Every structure is written in C-alpha cells, then in structure tokens.
Amino acid sequence: EPEVTQTPSHQVTQMGQEVILRCVPISNHLYFYWYRQILGQKVEFLVSFYNNEISEKSEIFDDQFSVERPDGSNFTLKIRSTKLEDSAMYFCASSKGTSGTPPDEQFFGPGTRLTVL
Amino acid sequence: GEDVEQSLFLSVREGDSSVINCTYTDSSSTYLYWYKQEPGAGLQLLTYIFSNMDMKQDQRLTVLLNKKDKHLSLRIADTQTGDSAIYFCAETTGGFKTIFGAGTRLFVKA
C-alpha cells in the first residue's frame, strides 16, 4: 500500500542552524502539507502546497520557513536559523485533491522529530 | 479563532466501550474527523462525519455529532488492546487546513 515517507526520523541541530526535513508523498497525490506537534500540544497546520505554490499557510509559517518540491518526488520543509521553540514533531501529509464527499483524505507520514539544542 | 479541545487520557478494560469526547469552536466546520496514531507511525484517518449528519456508524466505531453544542464523540465498542493509541479529533472548514486537538491517549487494560 502506498505511504508517505519522511527522513530523517530524528534530527538534532544547534540553535541558529538551518535544517531541511524531507518527505516523499504518495506518487499520484497533488496536494502536500506540513504540520507540527510540539510535545504535549496540538498538531498544528503549517502550510499546504499545490501546483508548485503555497495554497494556504498559518501564522506559524513565517519567513523562517519555506517549502519546495525540488523534483517529482520530494517535498521539503526548510527551517532557517532554528530556535529552541522549533523543537517538535513535524508531519508531512499528501492528498489526491478530490472535492465533495467523501472528503479529500490526507495521508500522513510517520513524522520527523526535530530537537534544537 | 478555530480551536479543538479533547481530554488527554482515557483508560478502559478490554471488552468495554470507550468514548472519546471533543469540542470545537468553528461553527462553519464542514467535516469532522477522528485520526488514530500508533507509536512511531503517522496519523491514520479512522472515520469522518459531515457536518449535517448526527451519527455515523462504521463497524465498532460510532461517531456522534451535536452541532448545537459543537461536541463530537467517538465510541469504540468491544475495545481491544490493539486499540491502544492516541486519537485525534480534527475539523476542516472546506479549505486545505485541518485543525487538530491535542489527542486523547487511550489505554486498554487486559
């Protein structure tokens, strides 16, 4: 069964460094998403991406963050100048982009745990 | 703003029913969802309900929606040890963004 994969599973970085989190969405999906979950808190929407553009983003997704689909398979989240409070689990998701009922199901990857020291 | 709240822990005995509750604030929600997360895995969509429905049953799962009170519940009948996981309530308003709760950790005692 196709699945969303993410690498690495755990990333440790020093404050101020840049990190790139990688995701391989399901191959025939058209919409891609990033979410994050700070330990013990809610899963928070960061950004959605379609047709090589950001389609929606949250207030969290400021200039420190960027997303890219560098080739036909990868979808990346770049965090520049990481802060301690960026430590979280980051989930990638993808969906086909269907409308109506049933809703467009988002398939999630297992997450990348980012630890900023 | 949009918010989804759920209790953090629930413990039940194997064979009992589990009821996980959730409240949300956005009255324009179109779909409400229950996701399951097992250790080391991503979020898996368990079931959803459209906002104009009151109830949906899917095998051992029953979803109840009280739109007036903005209350959603997930009932798992005959809970098994394999049901131990974190269950997330979530909503969308028709856009791309899904708003999640913090998750309820379900412990099933044998």
Side-chain angles (χ1 to χ4, degrees):
Chain A
E1 188 175 326
E3 57 182 18
V4 176
T5 59
Q6 291 185 240
T7 55
S9 56
H10 190 192
Q11 172 93 47
V12 181
T13 190
Q14 296 290 326
M15 193 168 55
Q17 296 295 304
E18 175 182 285
V19 294
I20 297 176
L21 309 183
R22 291 185 164 79
C23 168
V24 179
I26 295 173
S27 62
N28 64 344
H29 284 185
L30 302 177
Y31 286 81
F32 314 110
Y33 312 83
W34 283 102
Y35 293 83
R36 78 172 185 192
Q37 186 182 27
I38 296 170
L39 188 64
Q41 298 185 25
K42 299 177 182 182
V43 176
E44 300 171 293
F45 170 81
L46 291 178
V47 66
S48 61
F49 191 84
Y50 169 72
N51 200 26
N52 282 320
E53 299 189 329
I54 290 173
S55 41
E56 192 169 357
K57 62 181 181 178
S58 71
E59 293 166 356
I60 304 166
F61 194 88
D62 59 21
D63 292 343
Q64 186 195 4
F65 295 89
S66 60
V67 288
E68 194 179 27
R69 190 152 160 83
D71 53 44
S73 59
N74 288 285
F75 179 52
T76 62
L77 174 69
K78 184 189 289 187
I79 309 175
R80 285 179 280 276
S81 189
T82 48
K83 305 188 285 272
L84 295 176
E85 53 266 38
D86 294 326
S87 295
M89 182 73 91
Y90 288 81
F91 293 104
C92 172
S94 69
S95 69
K96 286 184 185 176
T98 54
S99 59
T101 302
D104 186 32
E105 182 177 351
Q106 295 182 22
F107 291 80
F108 284 78
T112 292
R113 182 170 296 284
L114 176 65
T115 302
V116 182
L117 302 175
Chain B
E2 307 130 327
D3 196 19
V4 175
E5 297 288 340
Q6 49 185 131
S7 54
L8 295 182
F9 299 100
L10 176 65
S11 180
V12 300
R13 291 192 182 279
E14 192 173 23
D16 287 351
S17 292
S18 308
V19 180
I20 303 171
N21 294 300
C22 166
T23 56
Y24 61 97
T25 56
D26 194 336
S27 57
S28 61
S29 297
T30 51
Y31 287 102
L32 295 122
Y33 307 85
W34 285 103
Y35 284 83
K36 178 182 181 182
Q37 184 185 30
E38 297 187 58
L43 284 73
Q44 175 197 3
L45 181 63
L46 270 184
T47 187
Y48 68 91
I49 189 167
F50 191 47
S51 58
N52 68 355
M53 296 168 66
D54 298 323
M55 186 182 91
K56 181 178 180 182
Q57 185 140 8
D58 185 359
Q59 299 180 339
R60 291 191 296 124
L61 305 179
T62 303
V63 179
L64 294 177
L65 174 60
N66 181 329
K67 201 170 177 185
K68 175 175 167 288
D69 294 340
K70 298 191 184 70
H71 182 267
L72 182 74
S73 68
L74 173 70
R75 180 176 179 270
I76 305 173
D78 187 25
T79 313
Q80 302 298 307
T81 54
D83 294 324
S84 292
I86 302 175
Y87 291 82
F88 291 88
C89 173
E91 61 168 347
T92 58
T93 56
F96 303 105
K97 186 167 61 172
T98 302
I99 306 297
F100 287 87
T104 299
R105 187 177 291 275
L106 175 64
F107 295 95
V108 183
K109 296 176 282 189

